[in-house]
Amino acid sequence: MKKIILGLFFVILLLLAGMFVLSITAAEMTKEMRGNDDGVMANGIGVVVKVGSSDFELAPDGSMIIRGSGSMNATCPAGQTCRLLGAASRAGSLKVASSETPRKLSSTLPDESFKELKSLTLKDTSGHSVKVVIESFQRLSLRSSKCGSVVHLIGPQGRLTLDDYEMTADAAMEAFVSDAGMEHLFEGGSLTGFGRRLSSTDGMLEGFFNLLNDVEWTCEFIDLPKPDALPQFYHAKIRVKHLHETPIMAYSHMFTDLDGNALDLAGIVIEDGKVYKTWTEDLVKTGSITAYLSQFEMAPFMQELRLKRGQMEMRMETLGSVGYRCLVDGVPASALQAASGNADGGQMEFMGVEVDKGIVIRHWRMYTVGEDNDNTTDNMMMNMVTAGMIPDVIDYFDVDTDPSGAFAPGQPYRVRMRSTVPGSKVWSEKQYLSITALPVTFEMEGIMDMFGISLVDTECKLAKEVVNEIDAQELVNDASFLNITNRSVTDPNFKMPPTVYPWTEMGKAVEYNFDRLVEAHRHDKGNPEFIRAKKTKYWSEIIKSRFNKDAIDSIRFTEDDDLEHVGNVSNGTMSASKRRRLGTWTAGDEEGSYFVTITLSDLKHAGLIRPEHRDHEGRRLADGRRLGVTDWKFVSTVNPEQIAIEVEIGVATVKMEVHYCHLVEPTWTNWGACQTGSAAGALVLAQASAIGSQVIWPSPPVSVVMGGYLAFDNTAGLAVDTTQPVFLRSIGAGGKHLQDNNGQMGLVPQADLWESFNLIDARSGSFWIKSWRNEHLQDYNNDVRWTVNRDVWEKIRVLEAGSGLAYLQSHRGQYLAANVCNWQCYLDRYPDLKNAFGPTNVAAAQAHWTANGQAEARICTCQAANVCDWQCYLDRYPDLQNAFGPTNMAAAQAHWTANGQAEARICTCMAAGTDGNIFWSSTKNRDAMWQIIQNNGWQSSALSSGSPSVAGGLIFGLKVLIAFIEVAFTVEIGGAVGFHPQHGIYLAEVYGKTSFSVWEATVYFLLKFNPNSPWDNKYKDWSMCASVGYEVNAFWGTYRDDFHIFCEELWFR
């Protein structure tokens, strides 16, 4: 039985195993698909199986929807056309949620956490909140921060900045939060460099991260000193950029580029349409001296050195180790000092941080005029600030963090001074390139040693105004250790380096630097000055352009080879080229001026050159006939507007003079003809004279004097008739007349008694202008006023302005000007000025127009803006009437479009009810032009222009020498021939003059005869005028005057 049971157990076990195997085999055989080793389901032939969800299905547009949701199907039934419409098509769409981890925000979180930051929520204490999306972040290393760095969180709504747990919002983010109704988050929040602090969110800032890293950085606070805690003694290298006050002067008038465009002067930079001057400075600040060594690109081999002590300044120009033209003079306070002294308490406001070339810098600001500034008592200073004449904002930047380590934290980085007044040209910036601390004991010797200056050409001079100033004397004493070379005094062949003109193109300075650059190009291309100059387009174009080299040659004062050899070698000094100069050549004070003196000792061997000695260096002219005189002297003066030669041979003197318009700038000349349009170099006057004497009685010596002169005058000199009262009609004020209104300046349309003046001759082209109240026009420190005085301050020069007009120039070189400005209208016309000065600040408006508005062609009158009337345009400007006719409005419009607008001419009609504005102007423009009209019924001009004339005369006289005092009696007769454009040559004058002289004093009687309209009356009508005068030559000056005796009309029947 036991065996039967055991056998049944094994049979059952076998049947169970067989059934299991059979079941597995059947199941496998019934499968249509099975999984591969990589987990992919496939059918029996290896095709991947497609499966679907019983709960969801995929719509044609790619959205996951609930299977069988309403009437919506993932696929369209066969034979039907289906569309998905509006929001109903999405009713069964699958919704999912993301997993986010909230976390309190701090700048100490690591960058890995901020990379996962998706958004943050701003909450307030009332339970309100606003969500801000974060798209990116930026970590900025910042020593001024609480923990060494700040984090910028940037999103579409703006920027938030984290500094530890403190958060600030920029303007865009502040507006977004305020629009969400949570503007109270900013109540009491201070304005910082990154925006306004969120004051109501402390401890309530949450960020939502995809991934959270709990590791925080350590918060380490690094204190950085404020600017006023920096060292006081240092050496800084600075790059200066200054807005050009006169941009039109920033271009060369001699050189062009290859396209024919005028070159920018070296050192000129143009950015965003604005023209800047740039240069480099070494600044050394010590206990008592502040030194500036300036390097300008126009003078690549020279520097300008200035050393300041108090209000005194020592100036010199350096070349290598030698200083030239050393002078100590007073110096006014700089614009920065003036502005800083007027600052609102001198406090700096922190404006935030910026990044410049990878360097993090702090921005501080100081306002020179505060809103409630009661510190300033100087109204003139206030007006200058509000008029945009000096800075009203000073921006100071110092280094916070420099990753490169080149700049230390707290080091000055940039100082910018500017005026926010519209139209102001006040803008200057100093960029610190490096700065090194100095010991307190570092003074004059250390400064000179640092700059490599060990010599001066001559002893430093004191300007006469500062000879008694202690600071000036101390500057000279401090520099006494410098050795003196005296080369410019002792070496006749030494060529003094030219004066440094950093922003002006002067011929001799350009020639000097060009020659040195060419020499360096040939022999020393590694010269640092040459390398620096080559980087500028100005010098690079001059060196490589043949045309520009020709321009250089044209400005040279070429020395003739023969003259360099002439003379007696034994008593002269050889030049470096072993050539003997003729006489003494001395450079004048003015650019391009020379004085040449040759005496008998220089020419005592003068004669023909022997052929065998033609090539001898330093040869004599020894074989010709010698001059048979006991004394001989030649003196020549050459400058940019005159050549004068004087030759003395024994007792005879010959003088020749040629005057011409200034070669560089014609308007600099003294000749009226050149100031009104004649070209550079145009001839204005040529004259020659000769006089000699012969002793006819030995004791006491009595000499007979004979001589003569001949002159050609093309000056178009201005003649002023002082015999009649005159009216002064202003061109700038549209024909209104100057008035003495009971001691007040005025302008009125019609001329009457109050507008009548007398011109009193003050000699030398000057006049006193006397009103009907016996008061005289005066320039009192730029103030136009009437005074009973009649002295130097009241002298007015009458200069020709063309077209019968004149400029009235004061003793200070200012020009009387007028216009019809109304300062309230000026404010009302320009909203930017009203916002800057206030709606009724007419004083600031007038100051702005004088400083900037006039140059910007702003309109200061009350007429409607931009409404041109071409007849009014013609009526306003007499020169246009003369050119186009009194009613040619088409030509007037064309002129204004082509030229008048650029010349700041006014094309509108005269404003009614405005009396005008009278002032002294530094420029000659239309406002400074006047008609001087005689009050004689028909109002003819009191001015007349002389035509070209030729004059000549003979001189006879006797001289007696009594006890070393010379007494002379001379008689001079002569005449002048003029030229009339219609009638040709005519006899203009016949005169006789008798003089009596004792030593240096002379009195004379002059009788002149002038024909009146000789081409009409055939020389039958003459004017005879008699006068007496005197002249005294003293050591300190010359005094002269003459007095009219009578004038009579002579008729010859």
Side-chain angles (χ1 to χ4, degrees):
M1 191 66 181
K2 184 177 181 181
K3 293 181 178 180
I4 294 174
I5 293 173
L6 184 61
L8 287 174
F9 174 76
F10 281 108
V11 171
I12 293 171
L13 185 62
L14 179 62
L15 289 174
L16 288 175
M19 290 176 64
F20 177 76
V21 172
L22 184 61
S23 298
I24 294 296
T25 303
E28 286 294 324
M29 292 178 64
T30 57
K31 285 183 179 180
E32 297 178 355
M33 60 192 117
R34 54 180 50 84
N36 297 332
D37 294 338
D38 56 2
V40 177
M41 297 293 289
N43 62 13
I45 61 175
V47 178
V48 177
V49 177
K50 299 177 182 177
V51 297
S53 172
S54 61
D55 297 322
F56 304 101
E57 60 181 331
L58 191 65
D61 64 354
S63 61
M64 185 74 75
I65 64 175
I66 301 173
R67 185 179 297 277
S69 59
S71 59
M72 182 175 180
N73 295 311
T75 59
C76 187
Q80 297 185 24
T81 300
C82 304
R83 292 186 298 170
L84 299 176
L85 300 175
S89 65
R90 296 292 179 263
S93 298
L94 181 64
K95 298 180 175 62
V96 296
S98 62
S99 175
E100 297 178 339
T101 303
R103 169 64 198 267
K104 186 179 179 181
L105 289 177
S106 170
S107 62
T108 58
L109 289 174
D111 290 351
E112 288 74 12
S113 296
F114 283 108
K115 289 178 182 178
E116 301 300 330
L117 181 63
K118 299 172 57 179
S119 65
L120 61 85
T121 300
L122 304 178
K123 299 178 180 180
D124 62 13
T125 55
S126 302
H128 299 96
S129 64
V130 61
K131 186 175 182 179
V132 179
V133 177
I134 303 301
E135 295 178 339
S136 62
F137 82 98
Q138 178 189 18
R139 184 179 295 276
L140 185 66
S141 297
L142 190 66
R143 290 176 59 93
S144 302
S145 65
K146 293 184 176 181
C147 299
S149 68
V150 297
V151 176
H152 294 313
L153 304 177
I154 304 166
Q157 294 86 13
R159 187 193 70 194
L160 293 166
T161 302
L162 273 172
D163 187 0
D164 197 12
Y165 290 104
E166 182 179 292
M167 179 171 284
T168 56
D170 67 359
M173 182 62 70
E174 182 180 354
F176 170 73
V177 175
S178 298
D179 290 343
M182 299 175 64
E183 63 273 4
H184 54 277
L185 289 178
F186 299 101
E187 291 180 359
S190 60
L191 185 64
T192 69
F194 294 114
R196 189 170 297 280
R197 181 175 177 268
L198 279 73
S199 60
S200 303
T201 61
D202 294 344
M204 297 185 181
L205 299 174
E206 282 187 345
F208 292 88
F209 300 82
N210 285 337
L211 177 66
L212 182 62
N213 188 337
D214 286 332
V215 179
E216 292 191 8
W217 293 353
T218 303
C219 181
E220 296 180 356
F221 178 68
I222 305 173
D223 188 20
L224 188 64
K226 291 184 177 180
D228 55 10
L230 296 174
Q232 296 297 310
F233 310 111
Y234 57 87
H235 169 219
K237 291 186 177 294
I238 303 172
R239 181 74 174 174
V240 185
K241 185 164 71 172
H242 184 84
L243 187 65
H244 205 302
E245 301 85 353
T246 314
I248 197 173
M249 301 298 293
Y251 307 98
S252 171
H253 62 270
M254 291 189 286
F255 308 110
T256 64
D257 60 17
L258 297 178
D259 296 326
N261 302 314
L263 292 174
D264 301 341
L265 296 184
I268 294 296
V269 172
I270 301 177
E271 296 177 353
D272 299 327
K274 294 184 178 180
V275 181
Y276 297 93
K277 304 173 181 176
T278 63
W279 67 95
T280 58
E281 279 184 352
D282 277 74
L283 168 62
V284 174
K285 174 69 174 175
T286 69
S288 60
I289 297 176
T290 302
Y292 302 85
L293 184 69
S294 302
Q295 176 70 67
F296 302 100
E297 301 295 348
M298 283 297 291
F301 293 95
M302 300 187 67
Q303 296 84 33
E304 179 186 74
L305 176 59
R306 295 176 294 132
L307 302 106
K308 292 184 179 180
R309 180 195 293 272
Q311 293 300 309
M312 297 296 110
E313 180 181 78
M314 175 182 289
R315 296 189 299 271
M316 67 177 72
E317 291 156 350
T318 66
L319 177 63
S321 61
V322 185
Y324 298 91
R325 305 180 186 91
C326 183
L327 177 68
V328 178
D329 201 353
V331 60
S334 66
L336 176 60
Q337 291 171 328
S340 300
N342 197 45
D344 186 13
Q347 297 298 318
M348 284 190 173
E349 176 184 350
F350 180 59
M351 304 301 295
V353 298
E354 302 175 11
V355 179
D356 184 31
K357 301 176 182 178
I359 303 174
V360 182
I361 56 178
R362 301 189 302 176
H363 180 189
W364 306 79
R365 177 167 294 170
M366 180 171 65
Y367 297 93
T368 60
V369 178
E371 294 181 358
D372 300 320
N373 191 352
D374 296 329
N375 299 329
T376 303
T377 58
D378 190 345
N379 292 331
M380 177 59 73
M381 179 68 70
M382 290 289 293
N383 286 335
M384 291 174 67
V385 171
T386 56
M389 300 172 67
I390 64 175
D392 60 358
V393 174
I394 301 175
D395 289 306
Y396 175 84
F397 302 82
D398 65 356
V399 176
D400 181 284
T401 305
D402 180 10
S404 69
F407 290 89
Q411 176 177 316
Y413 187 77
R414 182 185 299 133
V415 177
R416 181 184 300 135
M417 300 178 292
R418 58 191 175 93
S419 171
T420 59
V421 177
S424 173
K425 293 182 173 59
V426 175
W427 193 99
S428 185
E429 180 181 274
K430 289 190 174 184
Q431 177 75 48
Y432 287 80
L433 306 178
S434 66
I435 185 167
T436 305
L438 295 176
V440 179
T441 57
F442 198 85
E443 291 296 341
M444 178 71 79
E445 290 196 38
I447 293 173
M448 291 299 187
D449 183 63
M450 175 179 290
F451 292 154
I453 309 299
S454 58
L455 304 167
V456 287
D457 178 60
T458 56
E459 187 177 4
C460 285
K461 298 179 180 178
L462 286 171
K464 62 180 181 180
E465 294 84 2
V466 302
V467 291
N468 297 320
E469 296 289 339
I470 296 177
D471 283 344
Q473 293 287 351
E474 288 184 353
L475 277 174
V476 174
N477 294 337
D478 288 348
S480 60
F481 70 93
L482 295 173
N483 295 320
I484 299 174
T485 66
N486 277 326
R487 287 192 64 193
S488 61
V489 178
T490 59
D491 186 354
N493 296 309
F494 174 68
K495 187 174 183 179
M496 174 73 78
T499 302
V500 174
Y501 294 98
W503 313 115
T504 306
E505 198 174 40
M506 302 304 291
K508 296 305 293 181
V510 173
E511 175 196 349
Y512 174 88
N513 288 292
F514 172 80
D515 289 343
R516 292 203 60 161
L517 288 172
V518 171
E519 185 69 18
H521 178 70
R522 293 172 180 170
H523 306 293
D524 187 12
K525 291 184 179 180
N527 185 301
E529 287 83 3
F530 174 76
I531 295 174
R532 184 173 60 248
K534 282 282 289 183
K535 293 180 180 178
T536 67
K537 185 176 180 181
Y538 180 84
W539 291 114
S540 177
E541 290 287 344
I542 293 176
I543 292 173
K544 69 184 182 182
S545 169
R546 177 68 259 176
F547 175 81
N548 288 330
K549 291 179 182 178
D550 292 341
I552 287 283
D553 293 337
S554 69
I555 64 175
R556 295 184 187 276
F557 284 80
T558 306
E559 299 167 353
D560 184 79
D561 284 345
D562 284 338
L563 287 180
E564 290 193 39
H565 290 293
V566 171
N568 183 4
V569 179
S570 61
N571 65 2
T573 304
M574 302 288 285
S575 68
S577 59
K578 298 184 179 180
R579 294 177 175 178
R580 171 68 165 84
R581 287 186 181 273
L582 177 63
T584 303
W585 294 56
T586 306
D589 294 333
E590 184 180 4
E591 178 72 14
S593 300
Y594 290 87
F595 302 95
V596 183
T597 302
I598 305 174
T599 61
L600 179 63
S601 62
D602 292 306
L603 289 183
K604 63 183 179 180
H605 298 294
L608 298 177
I609 302 175
R610 297 185 57 160
E612 61 269 26
H613 295 160
R614 182 174 300 277
D615 298 326
H616 188 278
E617 294 177 325
R619 62 184 178 269
R620 300 187 183 192
L621 306 183
D623 287 352
R625 184 177 58 185
R626 298 183 181 180
L627 297 173
V629 295
T630 58
D631 193 13
W632 196 98
K633 185 178 182 181
F634 171 95
V635 178
S636 175
T637 301
V638 179
N639 63 47
E641 62 178 7
Q642 177 190 14
I643 297 176
I645 298 174
E646 180 178 345
V647 181
E648 296 180 7
I649 305 175
V651 295
T653 301
V654 179
K655 295 181 180 180
M656 292 171 284
E657 293 184 31
V658 177
H659 297 261
Y660 39 84
C661 295
H662 200 287
L663 294 175
V664 178
E665 179 54 61
T667 58
W668 290 357
T669 189
N670 294 321
W671 301 102
C674 302
Q675 295 175 341
T676 55
S678 295
L683 177 66
V684 293
L685 179 66
Q687 59 187 14
S689 64
I691 190 168
S693 62
Q694 182 63 46
V695 177
I696 60 175
W697 188 264
S699 182
V702 178
S703 302
V704 60
V705 179
M706 299 183 65
Y709 75 94
L710 186 66
F712 170 75
D713 188 354
N714 189 32
T715 62
L718 201 64
V720 182
D721 189 349
T722 60
T723 61
Q724 299 285 338
V726 298
F727 300 129
L728 301 179
R729 179 182 295 168
S730 169
I731 302 302
K736 291 190 176 184
H737 300 80
L738 185 67
Q739 179 191 67
D740 180 356
N741 186 3
N742 292 321
Q744 300 297 319
M745 288 289 168
L747 288 169
V748 295
Q750 303 298 325
D752 205 341
L753 173 64
W754 286 8
E755 294 75 47
S756 181
F757 302 94
N758 289 314
L759 300 179
I760 303 174
D761 192 358
R763 310 303 169 205
S764 302
S766 297
F767 300 85
W768 290 295
I769 300 179
K770 185 175 75 172
S771 73
W772 65 280
R773 300 179 68 249
N774 292 323
E775 294 180 330
H776 303 87
L777 182 66
Q778 183 190 67
D779 178 357
Y780 182 76
N781 293 328
N782 221 33
D783 183 23
V784 187
R785 68 179 192 177
W786 299 107
T787 176
V788 296
N789 299 327
R790 192 172 79 181
D791 206 334
V792 176
W793 284 14
E794 293 73 45
K795 286 187 176 182
I796 304 295
R797 291 189 65 194
V798 179
L799 303 176
E800 185 176 4
S803 304
L805 305 177
Y807 298 114
L808 303 179
Q809 186 185 43
S810 74
H811 71 286
R812 297 175 61 250
Q814 302 293 299
Y815 301 94
L816 185 67
N819 53 38
V820 288
C821 287
N822 182 293
W823 305 121
Q824 188 58 56
C825 291
Y826 188 50
L827 282 173
D828 295 340
R829 182 185 300 279
Y830 298 105
D832 59 332
L833 302 184
K834 187 181 294 186
N835 293 336
F837 307 138
T840 59
N841 192 348
V842 292
Q846 180 178 3
H848 176 271
W849 189 85
T850 302
N852 303 298
Q854 186 178 12
E856 297 168 0
R858 295 203 187 203
I859 298 174
C860 60
T861 59
C862 290
Q863 70 265 20
N866 301 322
V867 181
C868 290
D869 185 295
W870 306 119
Q871 186 58 55
C872 291
Y873 187 53
L874 282 171
D875 296 341
R876 185 187 296 275
Y877 298 111
D879 60 327
L880 301 185
Q881 297 180 39
N882 296 334
F884 308 136
T887 60
N888 192 347
M889 291 184 287
Q893 182 177 2
H895 176 272
W896 189 84
T897 302
N899 303 298
Q901 187 175 12
E903 297 169 0
R905 297 200 188 204
I906 300 174
C907 63
T908 53
C909 292
M910 193 68 63
T914 57
D915 56 354
N917 179 47
I918 307 169
F919 54 98
W920 293 108
S921 172
S922 61
T923 57
K924 293 188 292 186
N925 52 27
R926 298 202 64 79
D927 286 350
M929 292 182 178
W930 297 82
Q931 285 180 300
I932 304 179
I933 305 169
Q934 291 182 327
N935 183 13
N936 55 8
W938 53 88
Q939 293 195 352
S940 59
S941 176
L943 307 180
S944 61
S945 296
S947 57
S949 63
V950 177
L954 298 175
I955 302 172
F956 305 92
L958 292 174
K959 290 194 303 184
V960 181
L961 189 63
I962 302 175
F964 302 102
I965 297 177
E966 185 178 85
V967 179
F969 175 81
T970 58
V971 175
E972 180 179 343
I973 58 173
V977 176
F979 176 79
H980 191 277
Q982 294 181 351
H983 303 285
I985 298 175
Y986 67 98
L987 180 62
E989 182 177 89
V990 176
Y991 75 93
K993 182 178 180 181
T994 301
S995 304
F996 180 76
S997 303
V998 178
W999 199 31
E1000 294 294 337
T1002 301
V1003 294
Y1004 62 85
F1005 173 78
L1006 176 64
L1007 190 63
K1008 297 195 301 182
F1009 300 86
N1010 300 94
N1012 298 318
S1013 301
W1015 39 84
D1016 294 331
N1017 54 47
K1018 307 300 182 183
Y1019 295 99
K1020 293 181 179 180
D1021 182 12
W1022 291 72
S1023 294
M1024 179 181 69
C1025 296
S1027 61
V1028 295
Y1030 71 88
E1031 180 175 313
V1032 178
N1033 294 314
F1035 174 77
W1036 52 88
T1038 299
Y1039 300 89
R1040 60 170 65 90
D1041 207 345
D1042 58 63
F1043 305 92
H1044 175 76
I1045 300 177
F1046 66 86
C1047 275
E1048 297 289 342
E1049 296 290 324
L1050 300 179
W1051 284 87
F1052 298 94
R1053 303 296 182 183

